[in-house]
Amino acid sequence: MSLLEVLNEWQDDAQTIRRHIHRHPELGFEEKATQALVVKLLTTYGVDEICTEFAETGVVAVIHGNQGLGQRIGLRADMDALPIDEENTFEHRSGCAGKMHACGHDGHTTMLLMAARYLALHRDFKGSAVLFFQPAEEGVGGAERMISEGVLERYPIDSCFALHNLPGIPAGQFAFREGPIMASSDRLFITVRGKSGHAGMPQVSRDPLLVATHIYQGIQGLVSRTFSPLEPVVISVTQIHGGETTNAIADEAYLSGTFRTLNQNTRDNITQRLETLVPNLARAFEMDAELHLGPVTHPPTVNTPDETAQAVHAASTVVGAEKVKANTQPLMGSEDFAYFLDKVPGCYGFIGNGDHEPGCSLGLHNKKYDFNDTIIPTGAAYFVTLVQQLG
């Protein structure tokens, strides 16, 4: 039997696992039950080593091939859910209010589990496969924490690969890109300090909302008149707060949002320009303003050339070259797999979740999104093929 035929025979098991995880979502660094399930299944599959010592709820597994010495290939899946109330009505909908697998991490975890099952059973490869089941991808720093705690020193790898499902691409097709494929992400927080007073006598106060609106417009002008239109830059101010009542001018105003780009130099340039713009606009109105960046950031996700070519080759082996796009457009969302790619060469790619299927074709983070169970064997086969070809 071929690799894909074997994995297709496990489809019912895979669907049961995936839907169980979907029914029991856990947020970042809280994935205790998911971790326990992953460890239980990996133990059943007979992997060579299991470690749960990184990032509170992370799992690392090692599987050695029986074809001699070779490379150590890293494969990563994320495990956390989002703080979203699910609106689906199917049987495996979230059983936890305010928590939902709205990004498909339940499916990513299951794909890697099925790959582990196959690799441990057959071991028809050189070297070793190192599997990272990572917690807390959704903006709370899971990858950075695993790496800062020394996971790559304890489990060194020669290259690393990850997949993310993507609605809008036909189910089971692949998309890759050499170079930047996902944007950086930084959260910005601005505090404007004015002087409160009576709304009928604004001349004796200092209105921080006035400065907040000028800062907002200044940021939008910064994008359109400072950076090249050929260089993707997105700065979104998503919140402005200030004031407590209708007849009093506030003493403080607050802005927050994010900025994203595909280039690290541009990312650094944005930070420098914001640090100049914010306090100086406030100073022009005899007020003070401070910029702070959030504690969790993501650099751009940048795929290395050789590993991207290897990923395209592996995917083409599984589904045929006609179903693999080798130069897809980058997305302005962010991905903390970027921290792995900062340390080792590798490739982050997409697997289609469907373009017409109800639920599966909805955008990520949608309250009615669902992962497409039919693509689990295909994703697992891609991971296995990478190990077989690169080991």
Side-chain angles (χ1 to χ4, degrees):
M1 295 178 67
S2 71
L3 164 61
L4 201 49
E5 287 173 335
V6 172
L7 289 164
N8 279 326
E9 284 202 336
W10 299 344
Q11 172 66 30
D12 288 346
D13 290 345
Q15 178 173 291
T16 299
I17 294 166
R18 201 286 296 183
R19 294 187 176 186
H20 175 85
I21 298 173
H22 189 96
R23 177 84 176 119
H24 302 89
E26 297 172 296
L27 303 180
F29 298 124
E30 298 176 3
E31 306 96 328
K32 291 292 186 182
T34 307
Q35 180 191 54
L37 177 64
V38 168
V39 169
K40 177 183 177 181
L41 291 170
L42 291 172
T43 302
T44 301
Y45 301 156
V47 303
D48 296 299
E49 184 177 349
I50 300 173
C51 174
T52 59
E53 298 176 11
F54 294 95
E56 295 187 42
T57 50
V59 181
V60 183
V62 181
I63 306 169
H64 301 301
N66 61 14
Q67 304 297 308
L69 298 177
Q71 296 187 52
R72 293 172 63 89
I73 308 303
L75 306 173
R76 174 272 207 172
D78 36 20
M79 301 190 296
D80 57 323
L82 283 156
I84 292 175
D85 276 312
E86 184 163 4
E87 292 185 354
N88 287 311
T89 58
F90 45 60
E91 186 176 353
H92 64 275
R93 67 188 180 276
S94 171
C96 303
K99 300 178 185 179
M100 176 191 175
H101 272 290
C103 204
H105 297 183
D106 49 348
H108 304 162
T109 297
T110 307
M111 285 193 295
L112 193 54
L113 283 168
M114 291 300 99
R117 180 177 175 181
Y118 186 94
L119 291 168
L121 178 64
H122 294 275
R123 299 182 182 270
D124 51 350
F125 58 94
K126 294 181 180 180
S128 302
V130 182
L131 282 52
F132 302 95
F133 293 87
Q134 181 211 304
E137 189 281 328
E138 293 288 357
V140 285
E144 183 180 24
R145 182 160 172 186
M146 288 188 82
I147 291 169
S148 68
E149 290 178 2
V151 72
L152 294 180
E153 285 73 33
R154 182 164 173 179
Y155 297 98
I157 52 178
D158 296 291
S159 56
C160 197
F161 300 85
L163 275 182
H164 201 294
N165 79 95
L166 192 61
I169 297 178
Q173 295 193 17
F174 290 86
F176 302 97
R177 177 186 180 86
E178 178 185 325
I181 191 168
M182 297 283 279
S184 62
S185 176
D186 292 89
R187 291 168 172 79
L188 62 90
F189 301 90
I190 298 170
T191 300
V192 183
R193 296 184 179 88
K195 179 183 177 183
S196 61
H198 197 290
M201 294 179 283
Q203 73 277 9
V204 296
S205 64
R206 294 289 181 269
D207 185 358
L209 286 170
L210 175 65
V211 169
T213 59
H214 277 280
I215 289 175
Y216 176 84
Q217 294 181 67
I219 287 174
Q220 301 311 313
L222 194 69
V223 174
S224 64
R225 289 296 179 266
T226 303
F227 297 99
S228 167
L230 302 178
E231 177 63 47
V233 174
V234 176
I235 308 180
S236 295
V237 176
T238 56
Q239 298 181 75
I240 299 179
H241 300 284
E244 299 172 309
T245 186
T246 58
N247 62 350
I249 291 172
D251 58 353
E252 290 188 338
Y254 309 93
L255 303 90
S256 60
T258 69
F259 60 90
R260 301 166 186 267
T261 180
L262 297 172
N263 182 287
Q264 184 62 41
N265 289 333
T266 302
R267 183 188 183 203
D268 294 337
N269 194 1
I270 293 171
T271 302
Q272 293 170 5
R273 289 181 179 275
L274 286 173
E275 288 173 343
T276 299
L277 181 146
V278 167
N280 284 308
L281 268 177
R283 197 168 294 121
F285 291 91
E286 298 182 341
M287 287 178 253
D288 296 317
E290 293 179 355
L291 168 72
H292 298 284
L293 300 183
V296 178
T297 66
H298 299 123
T301 304
V302 182
N303 292 333
T304 47
D306 289 347
E307 286 67 32
T308 304
Q310 292 159 354
V312 169
H313 179 60
S316 299
T317 301
V318 174
V319 298
E322 71 280 2
K323 295 182 178 180
V324 180
K325 189 173 184 178
N327 191 29
T328 192
Q329 290 294 312
L331 299 181
M332 295 306 288
S334 64
E335 167 57 60
D336 77 350
F337 187 64
Y339 283 101
F340 281 91
L341 295 180
D342 261 359
K343 300 296 182 181
V344 295
C347 181
Y348 180 85
F350 301 112
I351 182 170
N353 202 53
D355 55 352
H356 291 98
E357 296 86 340
C360 302
S361 302
L362 292 172
L364 301 172
H365 298 200
N366 188 293
K367 291 185 176 185
K368 291 190 176 181
Y369 161 90
D370 193 26
F371 185 84
N372 190 337
D373 290 318
T374 66
I375 70 173
I376 294 173
T378 307
Y382 163 77
F383 284 135
V384 170
T385 300
L386 277 170
V387 174
Q388 291 173 333
Q389 293 182 351
L390 295 177

